[in-house]
């Protein structure tokens, strides 16, 4: 089902059509809210009342996703004390133990979630893997990266955290 939705979205885009305007995730606007199941147990939510959150969509078949996991771990370890939450959302596996074991093998020490609905990557327009989205505490999209995070991502995220108004 997920593959069919993805092929349909790509086909529409390739033919010059686009997703409905309301579905477009734009910088400065609210990102889609959701609650996901964590591989470690429990749930995590993205809403309009949350910590700074880096949402990362990844898949087990994706080489750049695997290469990026140490970068996400470094971002998590460095910026969690400043209030950043890293949330990795797996898009191709529904078995929580398999997702956690995969993350452990590749050094992911941040929460890993499972897109049980198979719709989050479409709602966020995460056509390529990996795809990352920085959301502010009000749930607005601050920055997005398509593909593997660039070398300057930690500095960019740090700058956003430092520029944020004090609450």
């Amino acid at each position: 089902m997920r593959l069919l939705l993805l092929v349909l979205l790509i086909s529409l885009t390739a033919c010059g059509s686009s997703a409905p305007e309301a579905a477009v995730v734009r910088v400065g606007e609210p990102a889609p809210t959701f609650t996901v199941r964590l591989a470690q147990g429990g749930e995590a939510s993205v809403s309009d009342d949350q910590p700074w959150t880096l949402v990362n969509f990844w898949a087990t078949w994706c080489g750049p996703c695997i290469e990026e996991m140490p970068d996400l771990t470094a971002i998590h370890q460095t910026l969690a004390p400043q209030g950043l939450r890293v949330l990795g959302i797996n898009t191709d596996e529904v078995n929580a133990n398999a997702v956690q074991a995969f993350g452990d093998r590749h050094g992911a020490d941040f929460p890993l979630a499972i897109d049980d609905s198979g719709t989050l990557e479409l709602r966020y327009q995460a056509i390529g893997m990996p795809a990352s989205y920085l959301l502010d505490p009000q749930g607005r999209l601050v920055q997005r990266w398509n593909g593997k995070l660039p070398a300057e991502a930690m500095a960019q995220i740090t700058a956003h955290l430092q520029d944020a108004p004090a609450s």
Side-chain angles (χ1 to χ4, degrees):
M1 179 68 172
R2 225 184 292 187
L3 181 60
L4 178 61
L5 289 171
L6 185 58
V7 168
L8 178 62
L9 183 60
I10 290 170
S11 297
L12 287 173
T13 302
C15 294
S17 300
S18 61
E21 197 65 25
V24 175
V25 180
R26 292 198 166 108
V27 171
E29 295 181 358
T33 60
F34 61 85
T35 299
V36 288
R37 176 172 56 108
L38 293 174
Q40 303 90 324
E43 295 179 331
S45 295
V46 166
S47 66
D48 60 1
D49 182 22
Q50 65 181 18
W52 278 90
T53 302
L54 179 62
V55 176
N56 174 263
F57 290 97
W58 65 280
T60 58
W61 51 260
C62 169
C65 299
I66 296 166
E67 292 171 13
E68 180 178 71
M69 284 200 178
D71 299 334
L72 291 165
T73 294
I75 289 169
H76 169 72
Q77 291 174 348
T78 302
L79 298 178
Q82 296 176 35
L84 179 72
R85 168 179 66 161
V86 175
L87 179 60
I89 301 178
N90 180 270
T91 62
D92 70 328
E93 177 64 63
V94 295
N95 181 295
N97 292 332
V99 168
Q100 188 60 50
F102 190 88
D104 290 346
R105 273 194 315 276
H106 297 287
D109 74 342
F110 49 91
L112 299 177
I114 300 161
D115 181 11
D116 285 325
S117 69
T119 62
L120 287 179
E121 66 185 296
L122 293 176
R123 290 177 61 204
Y124 273 75
Q125 300 174 336
I127 302 298
M129 293 288 145
S132 299
Y133 302 80
L134 181 61
L135 309 178
D136 72 10
Q138 291 75 43
R140 291 183 302 251
L141 177 64
V142 174
Q143 189 162 355
R144 78 187 284 171
W145 297 269
N146 293 316
K148 188 176 172 211
L149 288 170
E152 62 274 4
M154 184 161 344
Q156 292 170 335
I157 295 167
T158 300
H160 286 298
L161 294 174
Q162 292 173 346
D163 290 344
S167 45

